[in-house]
Amino acid sequence: MCGILAVLGCSDDSQAKRVRVLELSRRLKHRGPDWSGLYQHEDCYLTHQRLAIIDPASGDQPLFNEDKAIVVTVNGEIYNHEELRQLLPNHNFRTGSDCDVIAHLYEEYGENFVDMLDGMFSFVLLDTRDNSFIVARDAIGITSLYIGWGLDGSIWISSELKGLNDDCEHFECFPPGHLYSSKSGGLRQWYNPPWFSETIPSTPYDPLALRRAFENAVIKRLMTDVPFGVLLSGGLDSSLVASITARHLAGTKAAKQWGAQLHSFCVGLEGSPDLKAAKEVADYLGTVHHEFHFTVQDGIDAIEDVIYHIETYDVTTIRASTPMFLMARKIKALGVKMVISGEGSDEVFGGYLYFHKAPNKEEFHRETCRKIKALHLYDCLRANKATSAWGLEARVPFLDKEFINVAMAIDPEWKMIKPEQGHIEKWVLRRAFDDEERPYLPKHILYRQKEQFSDGVGYSWIDGLKAHAAQHVTDKMMQNAGHIFPHNTPITKEAYYYRMIFERFFPQNSARLTVPGGASIACSTAKAVEWDAAWSNNLDPSGRAALGVHLSAYDPKSATVSAEIVPPKIIDSIPRMMEVSAPGLTILS
């Protein structure tokens, strides 16, 4: 991942302003340690911190068209760039970078070219002929992006909050699947697939079509000119990614450059569920496996760095980001610059344990739609920033546009969890890769119960975090939490602890508004809370709180709400994702 920062239409074009823009851009240098670039045209500044993945030798940014009238700064990967070049026979490309197509597509198709891009991206394009500009973010929000406004009327764009929070009067998340045009003066949605309206689909389940779509999504992400690997937790999603990658790596350009044996990476506390399962999958697939251990104290010591880089105070996100943050540093130290990961599957297929309580297929489908739309605030945020903190890029094939179209067109009756029929969560995905003749995975891995990442790295990780927070947050502090933090009031000591750290780094009101909040159960959106009245009695984000569902569930007595909890004051309507109990459910294997 790269880092981009743009200041557009500012009233100051002095040398002092240029120095300030460079200073702010350096706050993003962790995202792109390979090269820095700045382009200034009149009252506009475009900066770039590069992580070189494709064409490391000549792909430095900003990028230009032939006469340098069109200037682009991009964070991301365009997987179909070679096909797009074929549509531009009259254009001369300066580099072999995948992002080089953007300026030329704009010349040919104007602002409407964005939907032609297949990949993950955030970019700012400046047309110096009339000083107009456009800003766009990928369909799901895999890449992070923020927009801000200065008192002088300037518009600021940054990959992270820290690039603009000190210099903008107001700032917010740039919405996924949207484009900002200076000509129209506002945002418009460029990504509007059939599932976005939450209409209930009726396409029959075709396991082979689903398999082909996901294999294609993984294969296109093998595009790289640098060493890469896969993140492997031993769960269904990461194991499928690893299996498909291992099958198709031979014969690719990446294999010719770096070898045909896949490298896999896992992190966990000593003896954690993920370490054991990942080792088994790695042995089965024959990967070069790298196992990283951390202690609870290692994680606690990293919390402040994690919150600074991830830019959130959401409890679940911080719990899961910390092990990933530690692992990313180890991976980068090995010389690896890109990894493929399994985020997004639970949202697309209803893989969270609370989906057991979906009352009907209509509610099931609408909830998956809501979950995908919120991914940029949670798992995409974590995967992007936890890896980018160390100059590592994460690619997520489950969020491939074409794959999502196929998966979200399936009649949701097939996705419903039906234990009496042996249909556990994500059964349609498991069944699609259940190949007797040429198995992708061992059966017990293919049908392994879901673990949240923050649980799978070791159950004592979350317990240790709670204990640490309890030492730093008093009962009196909790009693006054609603006055200190009237927006998204923390309701546990752990949440209060994270909030204090966040506010120290990002004290602006705009910053706290970028973090979601509100009623939620078991990583659900607020709407799904209505599925079971009993859910309101437990507010712990861990998957183990799914009593009667998770095979290593908490003791029911210890899952009750503690005295530290105060009534939440919900100010916004963004869904908060937390995991709590689902009484009376069982898993049949």
Side-chain angles (χ1 to χ4, degrees):
M1 285 297 167
C2 303
I4 64 172
L5 173 69
V7 186
L8 305 156
C10 67
S11 58
D12 183 0
D13 62 356
S14 67
Q15 177 63 21
K17 185 66 173 183
R18 183 183 179 93
V19 169
R20 176 58 177 167
V21 173
L22 281 169
E23 178 187 348
L24 294 172
S25 179
R26 281 194 291 271
R27 294 184 183 181
L28 309 177
K29 191 183 289 185
H30 54 274
R31 298 182 63 91
D34 297 335
W35 194 252
S36 301
L38 184 149
Y39 175 86
Q40 180 183 357
H41 176 75
E42 297 178 359
D43 59 356
C44 295
Y45 300 82
L46 273 64
T47 75
H48 190 262
Q49 301 288 344
R50 188 184 186 203
L51 179 67
I53 304 291
I54 304 296
D55 187 20
S58 67
D60 294 336
Q61 296 192 34
L63 296 164
F64 304 90
N65 68 333
E66 290 90 341
D67 63 4
K68 293 195 172 184
I70 313 298
V71 193
V72 188
T73 181
V74 194
N75 167 36
E77 303 291 344
I78 309 302
Y79 302 121
N80 64 335
H81 73 104
E82 291 183 351
E83 298 96 291
L84 292 173
R85 286 171 187 255
Q86 301 303 313
L87 301 176
L88 301 163
N90 299 321
H91 289 258
N92 296 315
F93 296 91
R94 294 174 175 272
T95 78
S97 168
D98 53 294
C99 296
D100 209 356
V101 297
I102 292 176
H104 303 278
L105 287 169
Y106 173 78
E107 281 190 288
E108 288 290 332
Y109 300 99
E111 295 180 355
N112 297 320
F113 75 90
V114 180
D115 197 29
M116 300 169 68
L117 302 176
D118 183 6
M120 54 178 182
F121 54 83
S122 299
F123 68 80
V124 179
L125 181 151
L126 175 66
D127 188 339
T128 63
R129 295 171 299 188
D130 58 7
N131 231 30
S132 64
F133 61 87
I134 61 172
V135 184
R137 188 179 184 188
D138 65 67
I140 307 299
I142 301 166
T143 58
S144 57
L145 195 65
Y146 297 86
I147 182 170
W149 293 266
L151 282 174
D152 62 352
S154 57
I155 292 177
W156 293 60
I157 303 294
S158 178
S159 295
E160 296 186 2
L161 279 179
K162 58 184 69 68
L164 51 69
N165 66 307
D166 287 335
D167 288 56
C168 289
E169 186 68 14
H170 176 73
F171 50 88
E172 57 194 49
C173 290
F174 192 99
H178 279 69
L179 178 145
Y180 181 94
S181 169
S182 64
K183 291 178 180 177
S184 63
L187 286 161
R188 65 177 173 87
Q189 185 176 341
W190 66 263
Y191 179 62
N192 191 26
W195 65 266
F196 213 87
S197 66
E198 302 182 12
T199 303
I200 312 305
S202 58
T203 304
Y205 169 52
D206 181 343
L208 290 181
L210 188 65
R211 182 196 294 185
R212 283 194 299 269
F214 188 59
E215 286 196 309
N216 289 337
V218 173
I219 291 167
K220 72 175 68 169
R221 282 161 179 80
L222 301 183
M223 177 186 83
T224 178
D225 292 331
V226 298
F228 84 103
V230 294
L231 302 186
L232 180 59
S233 70
L236 173 68
D237 307 327
S238 65
S239 297
L240 281 178
V241 169
S243 178
I244 295 167
T245 304
R247 282 193 183 202
H248 295 280
L249 181 57
T252 65
K253 180 181 176 183
K256 292 173 184 175
Q257 284 184 289
W258 308 108
Q261 193 169 17
L262 180 64
H263 287 251
S264 56
F265 308 96
C266 185
V267 66
L269 302 176
E270 196 79 48
S272 69
D274 279 2
L275 291 180
K276 179 182 177 183
K279 179 67 165 62
E280 185 177 1
V281 175
D283 289 345
Y284 181 81
L285 298 176
T287 68
V288 179
H289 190 57
H290 307 267
E291 187 176 283
F292 305 123
H293 297 175
F294 76 103
T295 66
V296 172
Q297 191 60 53
D298 290 335
I300 289 171
D301 290 344
I303 288 292
E304 292 207 8
D305 282 343
V306 168
I307 292 174
Y308 174 75
H309 281 286
I310 309 301
E311 302 178 324
T312 188
Y313 50 82
D314 177 69
V315 171
T316 311
T317 304
I318 293 168
R319 288 178 175 182
S321 294
T322 305
M324 195 171 196
F325 176 86
L326 296 172
M327 175 171 57
R329 187 176 193 179
K330 292 279 193 178
I331 293 172
K332 187 59 183 293
L334 294 174
V336 172
K337 296 176 73 173
M338 185 271 282
V339 291
I340 308 178
S341 190
E343 279 77 13
S345 173
D346 291 315
E347 286 72 19
V348 172
F349 293 104
Y352 292 103
L353 298 182
Y354 75 91
F355 275 93
H356 281 256
K357 284 287 189 175
N360 51 58
K361 72 175 187 179
E362 291 80 12
E363 276 300 303
F364 190 106
H365 180 73
R366 293 188 188 106
E367 177 68 1
T368 59
C369 294
R370 293 188 291 262
K371 292 281 289 173
I372 297 171
K373 292 175 186 178
L375 261 171
H376 67 288
L377 300 169
Y378 299 101
D379 285 15
C380 286
L381 184 90
R382 166 179 58 78
N384 180 278
K385 293 181 180 177
T387 52
S388 293
W390 302 107
L392 182 68
E393 176 175 289
R395 298 180 180 177
V396 283
F398 279 109
L399 298 180
D400 179 82
K401 273 199 305 182
E402 289 305 312
F403 174 71
I404 291 177
N405 286 343
V406 171
M408 293 302 288
I410 298 171
D411 185 333
E413 185 67 34
W414 287 95
K415 294 182 181 179
M416 291 281 285
I417 300 166
K418 301 174 182 178
E420 70 282 357
Q421 298 180 25
H423 290 194
I424 64 173
E425 63 274 358
K426 294 186 286 193
W427 179 84
V428 293
L429 180 63
R430 301 175 197 271
R431 178 67 187 87
F433 287 92
D434 194 348
D435 189 328
E436 297 287 348
E437 293 183 7
R438 197 178 171 214
Y440 286 80
L441 294 167
K443 286 274 191 183
H444 64 282
I445 294 291
L446 192 61
Y447 291 93
R448 182 190 181 201
Q449 186 182 58
K450 176 187 169 49
E451 288 276 16
Q452 282 184 222
F453 183 51
S454 53
D455 280 334
V457 296
Y459 296 146
S460 60
W461 165 233
I462 291 174
D463 300 334
L465 284 174
K466 290 181 178 180
H468 179 74
Q471 293 175 344
H472 291 80
V473 179
T474 66
D475 292 341
K476 183 177 288 188
M477 292 163 76
M478 290 304 300
Q479 290 169 8
N480 295 319
H483 301 290
I484 303 298
F485 304 115
H487 176 79
N488 284 345
T489 304
I491 59 175
T492 67
K493 290 184 177 180
E494 185 185 3
Y496 194 109
Y497 180 67
Y498 299 154
R499 185 65 173 272
M500 288 193 298
I501 298 170
F502 178 88
E503 297 270 347
R504 181 155 33 93
F505 290 131
F506 308 104
Q508 300 86 357
N509 186 56
S510 291
R512 64 183 66 99
L513 293 176
T514 64
V515 180
S520 174
I521 294 300
C523 285
S524 75
T525 64
K527 181 67 177 174
V529 175
E530 302 170 8
W531 292 352
D532 192 317
W535 279 344
S536 60
N537 295 325
N538 189 348
L539 294 174
D540 191 280
S542 169
R544 287 181 296 149
L547 306 181
V549 176
H550 197 289
L551 300 178
S552 299
Y554 288 141
D555 181 286
K557 293 179 182 178
S558 66
T560 57
V561 180
S562 70
E564 69 183 59
I565 293 175
V566 296
K569 188 178 290 184
I570 299 166
I571 299 193
D572 62 15
S573 59
I574 302 175
R576 185 184 183 88
M577 297 187 177
M578 298 180 68
E579 184 98 31
V580 300
S581 64
L585 298 179
T586 57
I587 290 283
L588 299 181
S589 57

